[in-house]
Amino acid sequence: MTISTEITQRAATLRELINRYNYLYYVADNPEVPDAEYDRLFRELQQLERDNPQLLTADSPTQRVGGEALDKFAEVEHAIPMLSLDNVFDATELTAFDKRVREWLNTDSAQTYAAEPKLDGLAISIRYENGVMVQAATRGDGSRGEDVTVNVRTIKSVPLTLQGENIPAVVEVRGEIFMPKAGFEKLNQSQLANNKKVFVNPRNAAAGSLRQLDSKITAQRPLEIYCYGLGYLEGMERPPSHSTAMQQLQQWGCRISPELKTVTGLDACEDYIQQLGERRDSLPYDIDGVVFKVDDTALQERLGFVSRAPRWAIAYKFPAQEEMTVVEDIEVQVGRTGALTPVARLKPVFVGGVTVSNATLHNEDEIRRKDVRIGDTVIVRRAGDVIPEVVKVIASKRPDTVREFVMPVQCPVCGSDVEREEGEAVSRCSGGLFCGAQRKEAIIHFASRKAMDIDGLGDKLVEQLVDGELIHDPSDLFLLTAEQLASLDRMGQKSAENLVNALQAAKQTRLTRFLFALGIREVGEATARSLAMHYPDLDELMQASAEQLVEIEDVGPIVANHIETFFHQPHNREVIQRLRDVGVNWPLEEQASADSVLSGKTIVLTGTLQTMSRSEAKEKLLALGAKVAGSVSKKTDFVVAGSDAGSKLSKAESLGVSVVGEDTLTAWLTQD
Ligand code: 9MJ
């Protein structure tokens, strides 16, 4: 049968594109398209070749793993090829994989799989001879990789000698080298400060760091490893399953994922996907899916592999966190402190599980650094609840019609001059509370949950109130009547009355909340709390000089200046007076908390509490002067463990940090 020229042409185009993207990704460490786009092209080519086997060529990218070895490193031949994984993208495809496995093995019984996170890093093979590390190589094309031994030796989680019993004459340990998110952020900050290349994502930073000719640079990079397999093995029996192999690796001192589990049957696979998916954003490293491997070694051997991937394993890919789209416009938003944030209006794109049509561009310098122009095709990233951002322009897709963004010299909302101070990245509207945008944002912040906590006062309502000139500053809120409120859009009599009641209730507050609610620049919850503890009398705080304020813990010279400036502005003093006149008040409780047993202690909450939510507990602990941290370290004083406490509890135990139960927490909170 002859194949239409159209199909032949398409296959050739796909090969060319994929080869180019492969080169950029694997060889040049400079990806041009998001992984999701690459995956789509790859799958399209795979499908074309499956439907038309005559099209398959030996040099098709579907026939090899990854890119070619760079010539700057010596070449290493893998004793056993390094395979890659086939992907599935939903439950149906996973079911089909499981069915294929069972058909191949000619069995109806539920299969046991080893499940582990799919790390987004670089695959590595580390060879140990008589327990001593002799070589480390990247995957390269699967048969030959690059010799990165000296670089891998600098990674502290890679053992240089294996420990314990049962050390074979030769073993290749396979795993993934990656850079944790926090290390990536820190590295980029330092790259930026030193005018060096900023990395697009942790995977690229890991690749760029491992493939350094100067291993001293690699040594300074926060690289880590998780081991997930055995390659060549000599002088010992191959362990009977993947999970026992992992235990063996762990006993030799190799790092394996704490998330590794065995699961039996498809439902258990789906539960694992669901649970890991929920934790994806809070894991300290990027993962792009889950890997399932038939656990039993004998069954793995029966299944074997096809061209580039084992039949006994599959990667279930999570929704991509990076996608490609077009910047249709760049507009500026005016924030609470007058900061002008350029925002890219995007052609809507599905990324990180939602449709995104806006992405922050941070500030003018960022736009210049990334050279983003209106009309450009860009990569947007949305990871977790973080605001989506433009990470990179795809230079080869730039049309001739692109336009450069110019920061306005006048505020787009109030027309006041826009200022940018020396050494500051941010441009600001100088209009202060004269600017409607700043007024709205200030009032929204004032009413927010951690500030005055006014129930039922949403952003849209504030907008209507400010635009309709019913309120000019936060104190006007407390003078609103149910009649005035009921006349607004989408407000009934009942919700108007509820809001008036909520406003009445909110008048009784705490000094910490009140100070936070004022929206003083760089005064967050923690600083507001320190201020309230040192100055339980607001009038004294309002008189304090910057020199006096820097004496307070958490208050540096810049914040001290912001606070002094804020309280010296006649307008701000008037608003505070009006708030007190309408009845906003607080008890002198914070004074007592300085003496609390918990004062200054660092506490971590984990697991489920029965009598209150974790955020309630946090708030109460903070009010007693404790610090509440998100992760356990040597500096943690106590871990409060509710039911089903997980890794934080084990970490506390391993570090010897005191662990208490909910009853102790309740006792602390009810102390006089
Ligand atoms: C990653 N990337 O985390 C494998 N992988 O197994 C895990 N990759 C793999 N396993 C065989 N966890 C080939 C690749």
Side-chain angles (χ1 to χ4, degrees), residues 238-242 244-245 294-303:
R238 200 165 274 278
S241 65
H242 181 72
T244 48
V294 169
D295 197 38
D296 189 294
T297 309
L299 299 184
Q300 285 187 1
E301 280 165 6
R302 273 174 63 195
L303 285 154

Side-chain angles (χ1 to χ4, degrees), residues 242 375 395 436 579 648:
H242 181 72
L579 284 164
K648 287 181 191 167

